[in-house]
Amino acid sequence: QVTLKESGPGILQPSQTLSLTCSFSGFSLSTSGMGVGWIRQPSGEGLEWLADIWWDDNKYYNPSLKSRLTISKDTSSNQVFLKITSVDTADTATYYCARRADYDWFAYWGQGTLVTVSA
Amino acid sequence: DIVMTQSQKFMSTSVGDRVSVTCKASQNVGTNVAWYQQKPGQSPKALIYSASYRYSGVPDRFTGSGSGTDFTLTISNVQSEDLAEYFCQQYNSYPLTFGAGTKLELK
């Protein structure tokens, strides 16, 4: 059974760095073809893909945010991390992690973690 | 970037109706399109992948069609639990992009 769960700080101030963790089970990121991505959704708005990381450590970023994003993984602990630097109020959103396989769709999603950026 | 356009933000329907949600890609994405259903307070759930394949456990009243740039999600015999928001997504190339969503509401 595949599960993913996001965790984050809940609230942080503008200009700080947002650190998110995706803890998963039911698959391994050392398995060929496996990948995990991050997607965010401001309240009442649509979905924005942020970044993907793959079993072979290939990483892909949304160009609109690339300079601020870093995705990484710890295969031994079944976790994927996302850092977003210099946050502002526009980064307030629910952040989801989701599993992909073989560069296809997001088959499994976490429950999401709400991040609020506020002074 | 490939823009996925869902031109209808809201669609009204009745239980038992058939409704079609459309999505247009700004360039050819083949059949590398997925559809997701999202209910309030929940994460998105995969419904359709590769444009027309139903994901595991999805009722057969959900049908996906299309290729290239034009895609459709059809819900036959709409049930009350289908009242949700629906998003299309292309995974043909990076950056991955989603449509803005179509919210299905009761008439």
Side-chain angles (χ1 to χ4, degrees):
Chain A
Q1 181 190 0
V2 173
T3 64
L4 303 99
K5 187 172 184 180
E6 307 85 349
S7 58
I11 187 164
L12 69 167
Q13 295 184 335
S15 80
Q16 289 186 320
T17 295
L18 169 60
S19 294
L20 297 165
T21 299
C22 174
S23 302
F24 59 86
S25 63
F27 67 99
S28 173
L29 257 183
S30 61
T31 300
S32 178
M34 288 295 157
V36 171
W38 286 94
I39 305 101
R40 71 180 180 181
Q41 184 176 37
S43 180
E45 296 186 29
L47 299 162
E48 179 182 32
W49 170 77
L50 299 176
D52 280 355
I53 190 165
W54 292 92
W55 84 101
D56 56 3
D57 212 35
N58 271 341
K59 300 164 188 173
Y60 298 86
Y61 296 101
N62 190 319
S64 66
L65 290 148
K66 185 175 180 178
S67 63
R68 299 172 52 213
L69 300 177
T70 304
I71 192 169
S72 60
K73 62 181 172 70
D74 182 338
T75 304
S76 62
S77 67
N78 284 345
Q79 292 182 315
V80 170
F81 311 99
L82 183 71
K83 289 190 190 303
I84 306 179
T85 60
S86 304
V87 298
D88 69 9
T89 54
D91 296 306
T92 294
T94 296
Y95 287 76
Y96 298 101
C97 62
R99 195 200 85 171
R100 298 181 69 193
D102 300 323
Y103 287 84
D104 52 27
W105 73 102
F106 292 108
Y108 300 92
W109 294 66
Q111 64 191 25
T113 186
L114 177 61
V115 173
T116 302
V117 179
S118 174
Chain B
D1 298 6
I2 298 173
V3 177
M4 303 296 283
T5 301
Q6 291 180 248
S7 53
Q8 291 184 280
K9 184 63 181 170
F10 299 94
M11 292 185 73
S12 295
T13 187
S14 301
V15 172
D17 277 1
R18 174 181 158 133
V19 64
S20 291
V21 180
T22 60
C23 176
K24 189 173 185 67
S26 61
Q27 53 188 274
N28 188 344
V29 295
T31 55
N32 295 312
V33 166
W35 288 93
Y36 302 90
Q37 177 193 64
Q38 187 178 33
K39 295 180 180 178
Q42 296 185 15
S43 55
K45 289 182 170 56
L47 290 177
I48 301 287
Y49 65 95
S50 297
S52 61
Y53 291 82
R54 210 173 292 116
Y55 191 57
S56 174
V58 173
D60 60 7
R61 63 180 182 271
F62 290 91
T63 304
S65 63
S67 66
T69 60
D70 293 289
F71 301 90
T72 303
L73 172 70
T74 299
I75 312 172
S76 305
N77 188 22
V78 169
Q79 301 298 298
S80 58
E81 61 263 32
D82 302 335
L83 301 177
E85 191 158 16
Y86 294 87
F87 295 92
C88 60
Q89 180 229 338
Q90 69 80 21
Y91 49 92
N92 189 66
S93 62
Y94 284 110
L96 308 181
T97 48
F98 291 86
T102 298
K103 199 169 288 188
L104 203 56
E105 301 177 323
L106 269 181
K107 276 181 188 167

